[in-house]
Amino acid sequence: MSRAASRVSALALVVAMALTTLALAIPGSTAEAASSGSISGRVLDEHGDPIAGICIGVTGGDVQVTDTDGTYTLSGLDTGDYTVGYTDCRPTPAYLDGWYYKATDQSSATTVSVVDSNDTALPDINLNRGVAVSGTVTDGGGAPIANVAVNVNPVGSGQGTGTQTASDGTYTTSLLAPGTYTVQFAGGDPLWVQQAWKYEPSWHVGDPLVLDLTDGLVHDGVDAHLEAAATVQGTVTGSGGAPLSGVCVDANVPSGNGWNGVGNTSTASDGTYTLASLPSGDVRIRFQPCGLGGYVEQWYQDQADFNSSTPVMLTAGATTTGIDAALHTGSQVQGTVTDENDVPIPNVNVNVNPDGSGPSGWGQTDGAGHYVTSALPPGNYRVQFSGTAGFAGQFWNDKPSYNSANLLAIPAGGTPMTGIDAKLAVGASISGHVTGPAGQDVANVCVSANIDAGQG
């Protein structure tokens, strides 16, 4: 199949799916079929010019197509409330789907009431142009890969889309609004390494894709070259060598001053795990108890953090076995968080961070204000209580900032650290207006509040 044919096929599928969606309505909204009315209106482009060939649909009625002047009439509708959807069902769509009134999905659409023997005339609907994303996915030798999932998601708010590559490795998505997106490629048969555009192992470090109406209907050339996936297997045990079930295991790759995740799984009842779809080269494996109280997170081989962990050097298409871990018991921090009148405060996040490198602990208060964190190894820590529901955050022991916080010394032996309590005060707030040299409004300025901690 040629790329052009693949594109037409993909767009035809989008239209079919859109028309199916338009056939949905609010449950129980239609009345008895004995009486009927109609809905009419006009569809325009962003310049106010009429658009012919736009499909309009509601439940209980045929899909209608706009005339050359952009008008439509949906007749023979039972009395009741409907949502009205608009989709560009022409062979080469150019406009994004819409819902009445100025909504991008059915859940946010405004309902339209149909009255017996009357026509409900709607205001003009303006549809916006969109841009599709297109490209080809191949292996390292340039051979096409079919059935690769391609997901295009907005950076920030908005709607994304997804599709799959055809037998010739090509794909074309449905239309997207202009903006900035991430593109991720995953799956296929056999397994291939997940990749972000352009040729990065994770969307965290992938290049942003900027879509603009000047691209035309399709932004082409968003390609990927996938390598055969590597696999890691191992066993996780606890006290006395007993297998641990439900331990979270994740794979990570170096990235600048940190790392990015490239895969995750959890151990089975016999403590074994398999991490598939991993890239070749330097991969670091982390083991997290994930709710198994009393055990401490570690990196391979029995290391406290990413930087000190032992690299697992993977080969494309090969399985590396024996990447095991024996988790140690540690100390859990416990306490109660109340307001200044001793009333418990629920849903307060409690973070226990090391004074240096190593794993952190986390917990959250329940309805009685109690919390228990994940286990931690011996060392010095700062305990932070995040403000919630109008309360100001603080550090242990009744300190307002990180620099002024008391250190909590956790000894060896796994003894629970109890009585690490907090009384949160009602929080204050500050608001204001930021302008530039000419008095113009300035958006996206970061505003922080600071206090004098003696040394800074």
Side-chain angles (χ1 to χ4, degrees):
M1 181 186 295
S2 69
R3 177 176 297 181
S6 173
R7 180 177 301 159
V8 171
S9 176
L11 291 175
L13 177 61
V14 170
V15 170
M17 293 175 65
L19 292 179
T20 301
T21 303
L22 290 177
L24 300 175
I26 301 172
S29 63
T30 54
E32 297 181 0
S35 55
S36 66
S38 61
I39 297 174
S40 64
R42 188 170 62 152
V43 179
L44 309 175
D45 64 17
E46 66 272 28
H47 304 297
D49 297 323
I51 313 174
I54 300 298
C55 292
I56 297 90
V58 296
T59 191
D62 295 333
V63 172
Q64 298 295 318
V65 179
T66 55
D67 294 331
T68 55
D69 60 356
T71 60
Y72 65 90
T73 300
L74 298 164
S75 57
L77 299 177
D78 296 343
T79 59
D81 294 334
Y82 297 84
T83 51
V84 183
Y86 308 81
T87 191
D88 189 344
C89 52
R90 298 174 299 178
T92 305
Y95 296 92
L96 297 168
D97 292 347
W99 295 84
Y100 181 81
Y101 182 67
K102 297 182 179 180
T104 56
D105 55 56
Q106 187 178 14
S107 63
S108 58
T110 302
T111 57
V112 177
S113 296
V114 171
V115 180
D116 182 29
S117 303
N118 283 274
D119 177 68
T120 302
L122 301 182
D124 293 342
I125 293 296
N126 296 90
L127 297 185
N128 296 314
R129 293 183 182 271
V131 182
V133 178
S134 180
T136 305
V137 180
T138 59
D139 64 17
I145 308 177
N147 303 318
V148 174
V150 184
N151 294 296
V152 186
N153 295 307
V155 176
S157 61
Q159 291 188 322
T161 189
T163 188
Q164 282 192 323
T165 57
S167 58
D168 62 353
T170 63
Y171 73 91
T172 301
T173 70
S174 56
L175 297 174
L176 292 156
T180 304
Y181 295 82
T182 61
V183 185
Q184 195 155 16
F185 306 88
D189 187 21
L191 291 176
W192 302 90
V193 179
Q194 176 176 283
Q195 185 182 108
W197 193 77
K198 291 180 175 179
Y199 316 119
E200 297 288 353
S202 166
W203 66 268
H204 296 283
V205 292
D207 289 352
L209 174 66
V210 178
L211 300 182
D212 190 90
L213 293 180
T214 58
D215 297 333
L217 291 178
V218 178
H219 184 113
D220 206 353
V222 184
D223 304 329
H225 306 305
L226 306 186
E227 72 171 11
T231 301
V232 168
Q233 295 179 336
T235 302
V236 181
T237 56
S239 301
L244 289 179
S245 172
V247 173
C248 297
V249 186
D250 56 57
N252 309 273
V253 295
S255 174
N257 294 322
W259 69 87
N260 286 305
V262 291
N264 62 83
T265 188
S266 59
T267 56
S269 58
D270 61 354
T272 62
Y273 72 91
T274 297
L275 266 172
S277 300
L278 301 179
S280 61
D282 181 354
V283 175
R284 312 294 177 93
I285 307 299
R286 178 172 56 174
F287 306 90
Q288 295 178 292
C290 289
L292 298 176
Y295 286 102
V296 177
E297 168 192 316
Q298 68 173 244
W299 293 74
Y300 185 73
Q301 296 171 319
D302 197 11
Q303 298 300 311
D305 53 36
F306 176 89
N307 291 328
S308 62
S309 63
T310 302
V312 180
M313 303 306 296
L314 301 183
T315 301
T319 298
T320 300
T321 60
I323 308 303
D324 305 330
L327 301 189
H328 305 290
T329 55
S331 299
Q332 293 176 281
V333 179
Q334 305 177 24
T336 303
V337 180
T338 63
D339 65 15
E340 294 176 312
N341 296 314
D342 294 325
V343 177
I345 308 176
N347 303 319
V348 175
N349 289 326
V350 183
N351 295 286
V352 186
N353 298 310
D355 185 30
S357 61
S360 299
W362 178 85
Q364 190 177 64
T365 57
D366 59 19
H370 300 310
Y371 74 90
V372 179
T373 71
S374 49
L376 293 156
N380 293 321
Y381 296 84
R382 288 178 174 84
V383 184
Q384 182 178 14
F385 304 91
S386 299
T388 183
F391 292 95
Q394 67 173 237
F395 286 79
W396 187 79
N397 191 9
D398 193 23
K399 301 296 183 181
S401 67
Y402 177 91
N403 289 329
S404 63
N406 293 135
L407 292 178
L408 175 67
I410 295 181
T415 302
M417 304 299 294
T418 60
I420 310 303
D421 305 329
K423 288 182 181 292
L424 302 188
V426 175
S429 62
I430 298 173
S431 63
H433 187 196
V434 179
T435 58
Q440 74 275 22
D441 295 340
V442 181
N444 301 317
V445 174
C446 295
V447 182
S448 60
N450 307 274
I451 63 170
D452 184 357
Q455 302 271 330

